[in-house]
Amino acid sequence: MSKKNPAQRPDVVVPDLTGRRAVVTGASDGIGLGLAARLARAGAELVLPVRNPAKGRAAADRLRAAVPGAVVTTRPADLASLESVAALADGLLAEGRPIDLLVANAGVMTPPARTTTADGFELQLGTNHLGHMALVGHLLPLLSSSRARVTTMSSAAARFGRLDWDDLNSERDYSPVRAYNLSKLAQLMFALELDRRSRAHGWGIVSNAAHPGTTYTGLYTAGPGLGSPEPPRIDAVMRRLLGLGIFVQPVEQGLLPALQAATDPAADGGTFYGPDGIGHFTGGSARQRVYRSATDEVAAARLWAASEKMTGVRFPDAALGERGEVDGSRAAR
């Protein structure tokens, strides 16, 4: 296991992405913004779905300033609203341009009180998992036509996740951490199941997953501080640990596993990347063993079916044609 100083840890070598179109969710700040910058430097054209238009414009401006010549556009989108997700997909489908990379990075973490999405789902499950699954389903024709790479940002918390089939939406018993763990397990299981189904049905998509270890981002304020005017105590603790270089790493380091999963030609479907340091809190990017909690393929298929029912977005059981059609009907509608 690596004990190097974070500054000495090896970087991820990103291939030339000129002419490739990449969609990165949650790129207004944090890991998403860092990932977008690395993709732009490699020549990718960026599409950033954003919930807050002002933050989106600021992020796009920062990217253009950091990467002269970068092609960056934003699209309005709220992953906590299936209607908003569908509208985003409709706009991209109308453009008809293939998507080469999709990084499902946006998320919310541990709001202290149970909060719901526009569709009545527990906020973490609805945003982290269901919103992204619906987006991939809607965009399947554009992803399939380019044989795209889809990388889902999970978390080390997924190893502690448990699927309560009688209470997936945490209606009976809400725990911020338990609901977060469940949502991140669902994301990891979705990424693996998407790859299995892509291979089985000939969709041509390569799907994998990553986690950032313990990386200091705005999630430690936005989620735990939801509904409170005061910053949560965890934010101060994380900033202190980051300053000391203990178990917490900066965004520039934490984004590397997702960057490798999304761009490394050797990062196959069904693989999982994370930091290689002690406890996988920090470190350089490396392929990791999938957590046992996510290896049950029967449970993954059951979760897939439940998620399709909740979102109303159904994936086809066949390959897509050149126009993204299956038996004359558009996929995932």
Side-chain angles (χ1 to χ4, degrees), residues 22-28 46-53 56 73-79 84-85 88-89 92 102-103 106 132 135 139:
V23 176
V24 183
T25 68
S28 293
L46 297 174
V47 177
L48 310 182
V50 295
R51 183 173 59 87
N52 184 317
T73 58
T74 62
R75 302 287 193 283
D78 182 357
L79 286 161
S84 179
V85 169
L88 166 65
L92 292 171
L102 192 158
V103 183
H132 280 122
L135 180 61
L139 292 179

Side-chain angles (χ1 to χ4, degrees), residues 117-191:
T117 68
D119 305 285
F121 305 124
E122 189 277 317
L123 184 62
Q124 298 175 94
L125 181 72
T127 302
N128 301 350
H129 168 56
L130 295 174
H132 280 122
M133 181 173 178
L135 180 61
V136 172
H138 286 311
L139 292 179
L140 198 63
L142 302 182
L143 297 166
S144 182
S145 64
S146 63
R147 305 187 70 82
R149 180 82 59 96
V150 176
T151 294
T152 298
M153 184 70 86
S154 183
S155 166
R159 77 180 76 184
F160 306 112
R162 296 293 180 270
L163 295 172
D164 183 346
W165 298 110
D166 296 320
D167 194 25
L168 286 177
N169 270 301
S170 303
E171 295 174 284
R172 299 178 185 174
D173 183 20
Y174 176 75
S175 158
V177 173
R178 189 164 59 244
Y180 179 71
N181 295 350
L182 184 154
S183 75
K184 288 297 173 177
L185 172 60
Q187 285 192 278
L188 179 54
M189 294 178 77
F190 165 71

Side-chain angles (χ1 to χ4, degrees), residues 22 27 33 36-37 40 44-48 56-57 59-65 67 69-75:
L33 181 58
E45 175 194 338
L46 297 174
V47 177
L48 310 182
R57 287 192 297 271
D61 289 343
R62 288 180 61 183
L63 288 167
R64 296 188 191 104
V67 187
V71 179
V72 186
T73 58
T74 62
R75 302 287 193 283

Side-chain angles (χ1 to χ4, degrees), residues 12-308:
V12 169
V13 177
V14 182
D16 183 9
L17 300 177
T18 302
R20 303 292 185 89
R21 200 177 206 204
V23 176
V24 183
T25 68
S28 293
D29 54 23
I31 287 177
L33 181 58
L35 279 169
R38 293 295 303 270
L39 296 176
R41 288 190 196 116
E45 175 194 338
L46 297 174
V47 177
L48 310 182
V50 295
R51 183 173 59 87
N52 184 317
K55 286 186 67 176
R57 287 192 297 271
D61 289 343
R62 288 180 61 183
L63 288 167
R64 296 188 191 104
V67 187
V71 179
V72 186
T73 58
T74 62
R75 302 287 193 283
D78 182 357
L79 286 161
S81 164
L82 293 176
E83 181 179 4
S84 179
V85 169
L88 166 65
D90 282 341
L92 292 171
L93 287 164
E95 294 175 18
R97 296 184 55 197
I99 295 170
D100 301 282
L101 296 174
L102 192 158
V103 183
N105 164 76
V108 62
M109 183 177 72
T110 63
R114 185 179 184 275
T115 306
T116 58
T117 68
D119 305 285
F121 305 124
E122 189 277 317
L123 184 62
Q124 298 175 94
L125 181 72
T127 302
N128 301 350
H129 168 56
L130 295 174
H132 280 122
M133 181 173 178
L135 180 61
V136 172
H138 286 311
L139 292 179
L140 198 63
L142 302 182
L143 297 166
S144 182
S145 64
S146 63
R147 305 187 70 82
R149 180 82 59 96
V150 176
T151 294
T152 298
M153 184 70 86
S154 183
S155 166
R159 77 180 76 184
F160 306 112
R162 296 293 180 270
L163 295 172
D164 183 346
W165 298 110
D166 296 320
D167 194 25
L168 286 177
N169 270 301
S170 303
E171 295 174 284
R172 299 178 185 174
D173 183 20
Y174 176 75
S175 158
V177 173
R178 189 164 59 244
Y180 179 71
N181 295 350
L182 184 154
S183 75
K184 288 297 173 177
L185 172 60
Q187 285 192 278
L188 179 54
M189 294 178 77
F190 165 71
L192 301 175
E193 183 69 6
L194 175 62
D195 193 71
R196 285 191 288 266
R197 293 189 181 226
S198 177
R199 286 186 278 108
H201 303 311
W203 297 339
I205 293 170
V206 173
S207 173
N208 56 24
H211 79 87
T214 308
T215 299
Y216 178 67
T217 71
L219 279 179
Y220 288 97
T221 301
L226 191 66
S228 172
E230 300 295 327
R233 291 184 60 187
I234 185 64
D235 184 70
V237 172
M238 293 297 291
R239 283 190 285 109
R240 176 65 172 164
L241 291 175
L242 178 65
L244 294 172
I246 302 173
F247 298 128
V248 180
Q249 63 188 0
V251 164
E252 294 75 17
Q253 194 71 31
L255 64 81
L256 295 182
L259 183 66
Q260 182 173 11
T263 66
D264 186 345
D268 297 327
T271 54
F272 185 41
Y273 289 82
D276 65 357
I278 296 173
H280 299 172
F281 294 109
T282 64
S285 176
R287 182 171 171 175
Q288 299 187 354
R289 180 179 298 177
V290 174
Y291 304 136
R292 185 176 180 181
S293 57
T295 57
D296 187 336
E297 295 186 15
V298 173
R302 183 178 179 183
L303 177 64
W304 184 281
S307 300
E308 283 189 325

